[in-house]
Amino acid sequence: MADNGFTTTVLHSDRRSSVEHGAIHKPLHPSCEYAFNDARELAAVFQGKSGFTYARQGTPTTQALENKITQMEGGTNTVSFSTGMAALTAIFFTLLKKGDHLISSHYIFGNTNSLLATLMDLGVEVTFVDATNVEEVKAALRPNTRMVFTESIANPGTQVADMRAIGQWCLENGLVYVLDNTLTTPWLCQGKAMGAALVMNSLSKYIGGHGHALGGAVTDTGLYDWSQYPNINDAYRKGASSSWGLTQIKKKGLRDMGATLSSDSAHRLAIGAETLSLRMAKACDNALALARAFAEHKRVERVHYPGMPSHPQHQRSMEFFGGRFGAIMSVELAADIDVFDFLNKLRVFVLATHLGDTRTLVLPVAHTIYYEMGAQRRAEMGIADNMLRISVGIEDTPDLINDFFQALDDC
Ligand SMILES: *Cc1c(COP(=O)(O)O)cnc(C)c1O
């Protein structure tokens, strides 16, 4: 399978592994517990041999999805969770200790920002930097720095982190680079190519892709040598050191914290993953067409989209993402437009949070997902009051452009 392309690999991975009765999908396993005929075998699985015991630690269905994600990312192994936030929680709370230091991008998902505040309350030091410039990341280094966290494309401002330089610097300095690849997905950007040690994908977004199942995944790219990481528990310093980090995330994060992906959700997400490349290509093409059209309209003040030559990281995006730029953009409307009146006139765009659905979704960000953090932090993050986030879907392009323009013309 290694020689096949991205989509062929995803489509055929279940069938090529041992699937009961030749089924082309991995069956949906609802069992909570897994029984053994041999007591020695039972003990062996508890002692680390691969197998299933209790579904909180995974089922054959979640494992089949994990294998797909591993192949997509070109990594060594993946652990799945009930949501993307659960996956991030597992990474931060199992690999960092009180007194450790984390360098994080300023430009991150609002709930991740809130999660890092909890981590700070528990005694982990966090410095926020402008991660579009590796020099800012380097300048934040302390003797107790353990980890660097960025997203690939940030939401809603679409800043693109200086990923490749950050990844290389982290590997040279024994730091764990955690990349949230949700907005790009491994189809546009493999975390491994950027030098990330761990890649988090929210499966609820493009990979599942239809807004009908939540999930998250952490993939180890195999680049990081976990024998140099000080916080690995003695119990997990066994076997090849390349697996220690993910073992700790699985044991202390998935098993002990318990935010497990259900077999039912894993099955739905795996079906979505089959068409990721087709959906992403169409959504990215739609997004570029919309960004170009919006930029021409005199009542749209600003368009933030990496596909526009005016975007500060346009060149970098061309280099990293192979000529497509994701399907998230934000626009700032003319100051005299009431954003709520404008939104109420839209007929095709769906007024909803979430992103990565097949349908185009729109949200006034300062009033919703960034409301809780207050005006000052919003200003630091570049979130304007009249900013709309648009998650572009796969509808017919003219329908989206016409809908947006009819609402603007009516305001
Ligand atoms: C949605 C999202 C998450 C969280 O994922 P959930 O599956 O909703 O928990 C994390 N990071 C980014 C960039 C996201 O867009």
Side-chain angles (χ1 to χ4, degrees), residues 82-86 88 108-109 111-112 149 151 153-155 180-183 200-205 214-216 354-355 389:
S82 58
T83 63
M85 288 315 302
L88 286 174
I108 54 173
F109 183 58
N111 298 162
T112 308
F149 173 74
E151 296 177 1
I153 301 178
N155 146 31
D180 180 337
N181 200 21
T182 300
L183 263 69
M200 198 293 286
N201 282 287
S202 166
L203 308 177
S204 325
K205 310 293 173 58
L214 298 170
H354 192 42
L355 58 90
R389 180 186 75 191

Side-chain angles (χ1 to χ4, degrees), residues 7 10-11 25 68 207 269-277 279:
T7 299
V10 173
L11 283 175
H25 294 292
K68 279 194 176 65
I207 292 179
L269 295 166
I271 302 283
E274 294 186 355
T275 53
L276 174 64
S277 66
R279 290 181 287 100

